[in-house]
Amino acid sequence: MRNPLFARGGGYRAGMSDAHPRDVLVTGTPPVSERAQRRRLTVEIWIVLGLSLGRSGVYALVNILDRLTAGPPLGDQSTTINPPLNARPWLDVIYQVLAIGFALIPVALALYLLSANGRSATRRIGLTFARPWRDLGIGVGLAALIGVPGLGLYAIGRAIGITVEVQPTTITDHWWTIPLLIVLALKNALLEEVVAVGYLMERLRDLRWSPPLIVVTSALLRGSYHLYQGWGPFFGNVVMGLVFAEYYRRTRRVMPLVVAHTVMDLVVFVGYALIPEDWLTAVGLD
């Protein structure tokens, strides 16, 4: 004879209602405190940044310290944004593609974490094609607004010796060079705008930071990982970060920022190979 103290399926019933034991266990779980939720989000942010732009910022800080203590002034030093990864071209392109793929994993992680509540992360941060022509127009406009003064600031920085000589690429010219530079530009745009703007600003908003502090934090992060190029690019990217972060705060759409960033990098990466050498020399890019 079945013990009357146990419900069907073996659940203990003494002093309990007819609810399924599984429901009793779930409802009996103590709720997570707001403090614990905030702590979890804070740790999550550090993990995502530690795997992506935060790590780049730390390396850039050490790099600028190295440059400042190396002896030659910053104006006499140089750096390359997209160097070759192997002397043999066929291996170089393989390494480049692998590097691009692994660099985008933090983007996937950030989107995955933002979708934890079941809501689409791409819709949450506006990384959609819902308004393609409008996003394209705004993106090109932002690229012009930031890019043209940025080149001027770079030239000024080179003239007064606070910016290193930046070569966009030293990858040898092959049939795949231009397509690779295009993909590199898109990779940079997705990584920086999704992580430094969309993800970070949403998470800081979840932590109830004030809007001005969120905007400044995003901008300073953007400037930090450009420190290896010198003080001019650092301040220039902070200004760019302020504009981009404020735009996102007002619109909650990151797609125009991805377009703008891609356009700017395309002009620099691809244009570097097409602009006459005397023009490059005039702006300090050669």
Side-chain angles (χ1 to χ4, degrees), residues 82 84 86-87 89-90 92-93 169-181 269-270 272-274:
N82 298 307
N86 193 277
W90 68 275
D92 184 33
V93 70
T169 182
T170 53
I171 298 175
T172 308
D173 188 18
H174 298 285
W175 66 266
W176 44 261
T177 300
I178 299 301
L180 177 64
L181 292 175
F269 295 172
V270 179
Y272 182 78
L274 303 178

Side-chain angles (χ1 to χ4, degrees), residues 66-209:
D66 182 17
R67 291 181 181 279
L68 291 172
T69 57
L74 286 178
D76 294 340
Q77 300 182 42
S78 65
T79 188
T80 302
I81 299 177
N82 298 307
L85 301 180
N86 193 277
R88 289 181 287 179
W90 68 275
L91 276 175
D92 184 33
V93 70
I94 292 175
Y95 277 121
Q96 296 284 355
V97 171
L98 288 174
I100 291 170
F102 284 116
L104 289 175
I105 289 179
V107 176
L109 175 61
L111 293 174
Y112 176 76
L113 292 171
L114 287 177
S115 66
N117 61 358
R119 182 182 176 186
S120 169
T122 54
R123 285 199 296 269
R124 179 176 179 179
I125 66 173
L127 188 66
T128 65
F129 295 98
R131 305 183 304 189
W133 295 112
R134 182 176 180 180
D135 289 345
L136 178 62
I138 294 174
V140 172
L142 285 172
L145 176 67
I146 299 297
V148 174
L151 287 175
L153 183 62
Y154 172 80
I156 294 172
R158 291 286 298 140
I160 63 178
I162 63 171
T163 300
V164 304
E165 178 186 359
V166 179
Q167 294 185 344
T169 182
T170 53
I171 298 175
T172 308
D173 188 18
H174 298 285
W175 66 266
W176 44 261
T177 300
I178 299 301
L180 177 64
L181 292 175
I182 292 173
V183 176
L184 282 167
L186 181 59
K187 180 266 294 182
N188 290 344
L190 285 170
L191 177 61
E192 296 186 35
E193 306 314 324
V194 170
V195 174
V197 179
Y199 168 79
L200 181 61
M201 293 184 67
E202 287 297 313
R203 279 302 187 234
L204 295 182
R205 184 169 173 266
D206 292 338
L207 291 174
R208 299 181 183 177
W209 285 31

Side-chain angles (χ1 to χ4, degrees), residues 204-225:
L204 295 182
R205 184 169 173 266
D206 292 338
L207 291 174
R208 299 181 183 177
W209 285 31
S210 67
L213 185 57
I214 292 175
V215 169
V216 170
T217 300
S218 175
L220 288 176
L221 173 62
R222 188 186 298 270
S224 71
Y225 52 80

Side-chain angles (χ1 to χ4, degrees), residues 271-273 275-286:
Y272 182 78
I275 296 176
E277 186 174 345
D278 55 340
W279 290 21
L280 294 173
T281 304
V283 297
L285 286 171
D286 193 18

Side-chain angles (χ1 to χ4, degrees), residues 5 29 31 56 60 154 159 207 220 230 235 246 260 275:
L5 294 178
T29 303
S56 299
Y154 172 80
L207 291 174
L220 288 176
F235 290 113
E246 179 61 18
I275 296 176

